[in-house]
Amino acid sequence: MIEKSRFDFNQLSQGFEFPAESYILDESTIRDYLQATGDTSNLYQQRPLVPPLAVAALAMAALSEKITLPPGTIHVSQELAFCGLVFSGDQITCNSKVSRKVDRGGLRLMSTDIMVTNQHGKTVLTGKVGFVLPNMQKIPG
Amino acid sequence: MLKKKVRQEDINLYAKASRDFNPIHIDEEFARQTPTGGTIAHGMLVLAYVSQMMTGAFGETWLEAGQLNVRFKTPARPGDNLTISGKVKKCTEDNTCLTVVCDVLCTNEKGETVISGETVVRVNKNENRC
């Protein structure tokens, strides 16, 4: 596997945009996802629909593959808005940007905006992820 | 309401499907040495249960135009029995759509809150999207 470049938390500033990442939503990934979540909804049997949280999970994976966060970092909040149906076989592109990075009361907070488009350029999901990081002088890379 | 039992095998499969192989979720030996004291489920896995409940209530409308805003309060661990529930907080209506705002909650068997937050669904009254 090719090691992708990762950004250290200290390198990031508000407005920083991570390189986009694309995934093809293949049937086996969606099947694994539905099995892991125990989701037996008929909706996914009748049409090749993809659960929006599967799309969100891949957007999160795209983000986490690009940041080196210190041990003890906690994913504290999640906002999501689904903007259209996603189907098995679609290619999604995940974009993310640091929207907030502040120190408060001995903790460091970071929010990242995410936006996912499909192969037609249509936005299918937007969201915001909140992290709390332990306060350290310097984070090891 | 939805009931789910957190199982390590589901966490492992979720790691594969979501490409999130953080050892805190899948490596028991590693996780034992961290403040969590053992593996924990991905927050997004538990959030998927909330979305599953909303899909059961609103069907394709949720998949196409749902919104959620939640906070992760307590980690879910293998063996935990989770209860996911939702309660309509507010309904508003205009000429084209009905907007339903719900409080959603996921708790473990100890009564601890795992996830809490709010969802919004706009149900169209006509053929067009809201």
Side-chain angles (χ1 to χ4, degrees), chain B:
Chain B
M1 186 187 287
L2 192 64
K3 300 261 189 188
K4 290 281 187 180
K5 187 175 185 76
V6 180
R7 302 185 310 167
Q8 185 62 52
E9 63 201 81
D10 292 337
I11 296 172
N12 296 345
L13 189 58
Y14 184 87
K16 181 184 167 205
S18 67
R19 302 176 188 227
D20 183 345
F21 297 102
N22 186 329
I24 197 111
H25 305 302
I26 56 174
D27 185 336
E28 181 59 38
E29 195 176 327
F30 171 89
R32 255 200 307 270
Q33 296 166 36
T34 69
T36 63
T39 56
I40 57 172
H42 303 74
M44 293 295 282
L45 169 58
V46 183
L47 191 54
Y49 300 153
V50 175
S51 184
Q52 196 175 327
M53 176 188 67
M54 295 302 293
T55 305
F58 294 96
E60 206 169 297
T61 302
W62 170 252
L63 305 186
E64 190 171 16
Q67 294 175 35
L68 56 83
N69 183 356
V70 300
R71 295 191 75 80
F72 299 101
K73 303 284 194 179
T74 304
R77 301 167 186 281
D80 279 0
N81 291 298
L82 304 179
T83 301
I84 302 97
S85 60
K87 185 177 175 185
V88 174
K89 185 162 74 173
K90 189 169 76 172
C91 279
T92 55
E93 192 172 1
D94 62 23
N95 290 336
T96 56
C97 72
L98 174 67
T99 301
V100 183
V101 181
C102 300
D103 282 329
V104 289
L105 185 67
C106 173
T107 55
N108 61 22
E109 67 269 36
K110 295 176 194 160
E112 297 168 327
T113 297
V114 177
I115 289 178
S116 65
E118 186 179 275
T119 61
V120 179
V121 192
R122 291 188 174 83
V123 183
N124 62 342
K125 293 162 69 179
N126 308 307
E127 289 301 311
N128 301 320
R129 286 266 317 270
C130 293

Side-chain angles (χ1 to χ4, degrees), chain A residues 77-94:
Chain A
S77 63
Q78 184 77 59
E79 293 176 29
L80 291 171
F82 316 140
C83 316
L85 295 174
V86 180
F87 296 90
S88 180
D90 279 359
Q91 178 171 343
I92 57 167
T93 300
C94 308

